Amino acid sequence: MSIRRTTKAARGAVAMASAVGLALVVAGCGGGGDAGAGGPGAGNAKPPVRTTTPKDGGPGSPAADSSKVIGEMKGPDGIVITLHSVIRDSGGFVTVSGTVTNHGTRAFNAINWRSNETELRSRSSISGATLVDKAGKKRYLVLRDTNGECLCTTGLSGLLPGASRPIFAQFPAPPAKVTEVDFQLPTMPPASVQITD
């Protein structure tokens, strides 16, 4: 009998949390702009750029100076990645930081940016990213933690039109003499970037 009551209480709590979440989403989607109301220039108006936070509640992306642009990748459906930094750390790895922005007309999910590994929990991540040392003819894959998860942005789904989100990926560091690499993601053109210390 107590198990049944506990189950009912848990269901009630989940239903309440879902209702509150839905109310917040609906409130956030409303807005007092008249760009879509048929006013002058409504057909040419672009949605404002919004920054969203990771859904997975993890540590998120390392801080990067988003005003600095060292590279840009423009892909299909209006998806743009702006690269802010590629930093060599003393721990023997390189961290790539940037921002993904949806300039398209529909929500974006990064399913095509993941690697082919089956043990990854997040289906929407940038685990398929690579760094390529063209001179040394070497390709570096995203690092993994002890659980096999990528050291990169995960939970990258439902990026609405006009929204942006910080991204990052960590790779093994190329030799110290390598200062230029190509950052690559599936479905996107590569971007040549400089590694800084």
Side-chain angles (χ1 to χ4, degrees):
M1 193 77 144
S2 63
I3 292 174
R4 177 178 277 171
R5 287 183 186 161
T6 303
T7 304
K8 276 188 165 182
R11 285 185 190 151
V14 169
M16 178 60 85
S18 297
V20 170
L22 182 59
L24 290 173
V25 168
V26 169
C29 289
D34 54 334
N44 298 332
K46 291 190 178 193
V49 174
R50 299 180 299 264
T51 301
T52 58
T53 54
K55 290 184 180 180
D56 58 8
S61 304
D65 182 3
S66 61
S67 64
K68 184 177 179 183
V69 176
I70 63 168
E72 189 174 74
M73 306 161 73
K74 293 183 178 182
D77 300 322
I79 300 302
V80 176
I81 293 181
T82 306
L83 297 173
H84 305 303
S85 65
V86 180
I87 299 174
R88 186 188 308 271
D89 295 305
S90 59
F93 55 90
V94 168
T95 302
V96 177
S97 299
T99 303
V100 59
T101 303
N102 184 353
H103 292 290
T105 58
R106 57 185 175 166
F108 171 72
N109 296 309
I111 290 177
N112 292 328
W113 291 355
R114 72 183 190 278
S115 64
N116 293 329
E117 298 165 88
T118 57
E119 70 270 8
L120 293 175
R121 283 184 229 126
S122 176
R123 290 180 41 87
S124 297
S125 71
I126 62 170
S127 59
T130 57
L131 278 186
V132 177
D133 170 12
K134 290 188 288 189
K137 297 184 168 90
K138 289 191 178 179
R139 179 182 300 266
Y140 298 89
L141 305 179
V142 176
L143 291 169
R144 302 301 193 255
D145 66 14
T146 54
N147 294 324
E149 289 291 334
C150 73
L151 297 180
C152 67
T153 301
T154 60
L156 188 54
S157 61
L159 186 66
L160 298 175
S164 63
R165 170 127 178 242
I167 59 170
F168 81 99
Q170 292 183 325
F171 301 89
K177 65 180 181 180
V178 177
T179 58
E180 184 173 322
V181 290
D182 280 0
F183 178 70
Q184 298 181 342
L185 263 176
T187 76
M188 302 289 280
S192 291
V193 290
Q194 298 287 326
I195 299 175
T196 59
D197 292 320

